Amino acid sequence: MSSRTDTDETRAAEARVTDTCLTDPRPTEAHVTAARTGEAITTSALHAAATGADTFPGVLREALNRRGLSLERVSERLRVRGITISQATLSSWQRGRSQPERARSLRAVDVLEEILELPAGALRSLLGPRRPRGRTTPPDAEGAALQILGEDSVVEKALGARFRHFNQETSSLMVHDIVRVGETGTLSGISTTNVLRASRAGADRAIFVLSFDDEAAEPVDIRVTCGRLVEATYLKGLKSLVLEIHFGRELAKLDTTVVSYAVDVSPSDTPATHYERWSRTNLHEYLQQVFFHPAALPTDCHRYVREKVGDPPRGRRRIPLSDAHNVHVLTSRCKPGVHGVAWDYGSGTGGTETAGTEAAGTETDGTGDRPG
């Protein structure tokens, strides 16, 4: 769903929140990309598309969309024919980050033409010269996000074409997340303060995507205390809220700014049991705080990390609950990955959900948090 709503009409869900930061001077409405099916691409159709799609990545993407095939299915069809090409490699090909060059890869291209019902040579003829080997450049913003989020993530779907420029003009230095758990153990609110640094002159805005697990919850209020809210779009099908916040000025290269916002969430039926933030870049410092209502105190709290979204947690360590009914985790030189706090209610109030922003709910400037 891609309808735009005013701030007071914005809807979201509770259990997870993904907060994604992106800088893009041309805001467009987030959308879900649906696969298209159709007939085989003819030679004339390829020539007709030469003005914009006459490249190997462009034609490959178009053919995949026309056939409605996922990268997983294409990889499996190649494997059945004796050619092993991973989904990650296919993704790199269609995004133009790499191209087929080895003998096995070139054989895969020939078979791809059959699978995608393309004329013989339609793909292979578009391959450029071999790229130089040796030291490679770091992954771009899109590639770095894909390493943590994986293919076809909620964040990528919510941002659509803007995902390709994800966080291209700024990076996060420090992030402070505060999660509040209400009397029934459900998520009641999230607030984030993000210190951003411009990687190029002219940066003036950031986009944050908050993705939730529990569609029964709704954000009832959005407040921006540092910056100016200019867009609040709820994508009901993705259970994601897209916020665009302007800095109030254009930044010079290496200049810094602070963005702060808070989202209040109405109670849902599912108690929250964790909070995660994902980051694709190094953070100088990351502080997580979770405040519990006295009527919904957990019996155990612990911190953990994941290499990427969906990976099993590692480095699990217990953290104490303070007399003020809160826990916190402070991480210096925070490495890329998913950083979470989880809690258990035993046989009391809690359930099996968790709360968070960006990773489970909030993704800001290459970092994200997620409640669930």
Side-chain angles (χ1 to χ4, degrees):
M1 180 174 182
S2 60
S3 61
R4 180 167 305 202
T5 63
D6 293 332
T7 299
D8 60 351
E9 296 174 340
T10 304
R11 299 285 178 106
E14 166 193 353
R16 291 182 182 170
V17 180
T18 299
D19 177 24
T20 306
C21 170
L22 161 76
T23 56
D24 188 340
R26 302 175 305 278
T28 58
E29 202 166 77
H31 64 279
V32 180
T33 302
R36 291 173 293 156
T37 59
E39 299 179 355
I41 301 176
T42 63
T43 303
S44 59
L46 288 174
H47 285 297
T51 55
D54 193 18
T55 64
F56 179 83
V59 173
L60 178 58
R61 285 195 304 270
E62 178 67 16
L64 288 167
N65 285 337
R66 284 178 179 271
R67 295 281 289 127
L69 293 175
S70 67
L71 296 182
E72 180 180 7
R73 291 179 62 191
V74 172
S75 179
E76 175 61 21
R77 292 192 182 188
L78 288 170
R79 189 191 64 78
V80 169
R81 301 195 188 197
I83 302 174
T84 302
I85 300 293
S86 68
Q87 295 179 52
T89 298
L90 291 171
S91 175
S92 294
W93 290 357
Q94 72 164 345
R95 296 176 185 277
R97 295 198 300 270
S98 66
Q99 69 173 20
E101 292 180 348
R102 301 178 186 277
R104 182 186 63 180
S105 297
L106 293 176
R107 288 198 302 273
V109 171
D110 295 336
V111 176
L112 274 175
E113 292 171 350
E114 299 177 18
I115 294 173
L116 300 175
E117 299 181 2
L118 291 168
L123 285 174
R124 198 192 260 252
S125 63
L126 298 174
L127 292 174
R130 291 180 63 91
R131 299 183 177 182
R133 300 292 179 184
R135 190 172 182 178
T136 59
T137 58
D140 57 14
E142 180 189 18
L146 286 171
Q147 289 180 2
I148 304 299
L149 294 171
E151 294 284 347
D152 298 324
S153 66
V154 171
V155 175
E156 183 174 4
K157 291 177 180 177
L159 294 177
R162 290 185 288 182
F163 186 76
R164 295 182 62 85
H165 309 287
F166 181 72
N167 190 31
Q168 195 171 49
E169 297 181 347
T170 62
S171 59
S172 291
L173 298 179
M174 295 184 292
V175 177
H176 180 194
D177 288 323
I178 297 176
V179 178
R180 298 188 182 277
V181 178
E183 184 175 3
T184 61
T186 61
L187 178 69
S188 64
I190 301 166
S191 61
T192 294
T193 297
N194 196 323
V195 181
L196 301 166
R197 180 169 61 190
S199 57
R200 64 181 67 175
D204 66 351
R205 70 193 68 195
I207 293 178
F208 303 83
V209 180
L210 290 78
S211 300
F212 305 82
D213 286 343
D214 188 353
E215 60 185 7
E218 300 178 356
V220 293
D221 187 32
I222 300 172
R223 302 178 303 280
V224 176
T225 53
C226 287
R228 178 170 57 88
L229 180 65
V230 296
E231 175 191 348
T233 302
Y234 178 55
L235 306 175
K236 186 173 182 180
L238 297 175
K239 295 178 289 186
S240 296
L241 173 66
V242 179
L243 304 176
E244 180 182 307
I245 298 177
H246 282 212
F247 304 149
R249 64 186 177 94
E250 290 189 357
L251 304 182
K253 184 176 182 180
L254 302 183
D255 200 0
T256 59
T257 191
V258 177
V259 171
S260 296
Y261 63 88
V263 178
D264 291 340
V265 181
S266 62
S268 69
D269 298 329
T270 307
T273 60
H274 76 260
Y275 171 92
E276 293 180 346
R277 168 169 287 274
W278 71 268
S279 175
R280 66 179 177 213
T281 59
N282 291 306
L283 289 173
H284 288 196
E285 193 168 80
Y286 175 47
L287 174 61
Q288 290 174 312
Q289 288 183 284
V290 184
F291 288 81
F292 299 94
H293 190 279
L297 298 181
T299 58
D300 179 68
C301 300
H302 60 271
R303 62 186 296 181
Y304 60 90
V305 296
R306 306 179 195 269
E307 293 292 338
K308 60 183 179 180
V309 173
D311 276 5
R314 60 177 178 79
R316 179 184 170 115
R317 290 171 52 190
R318 192 169 186 175
I319 51 178
L321 184 69
S322 75
D323 292 341
H325 308 148
N326 72 84
V327 296
H328 81 274
V329 175
L330 176 63
T331 306
S332 298
R333 298 180 180 179
C334 188
K335 296 182 179 179
V338 181
H339 304 267
V341 172
W343 51 92
D344 299 315
Y345 291 106
S347 58
T349 305
T352 58
E353 289 282 353
T354 61
T357 61
E358 181 158 33
T362 302
E363 194 305 273
T364 76
D365 193 27
T367 65
D369 55 31
R370 184 175 190 172

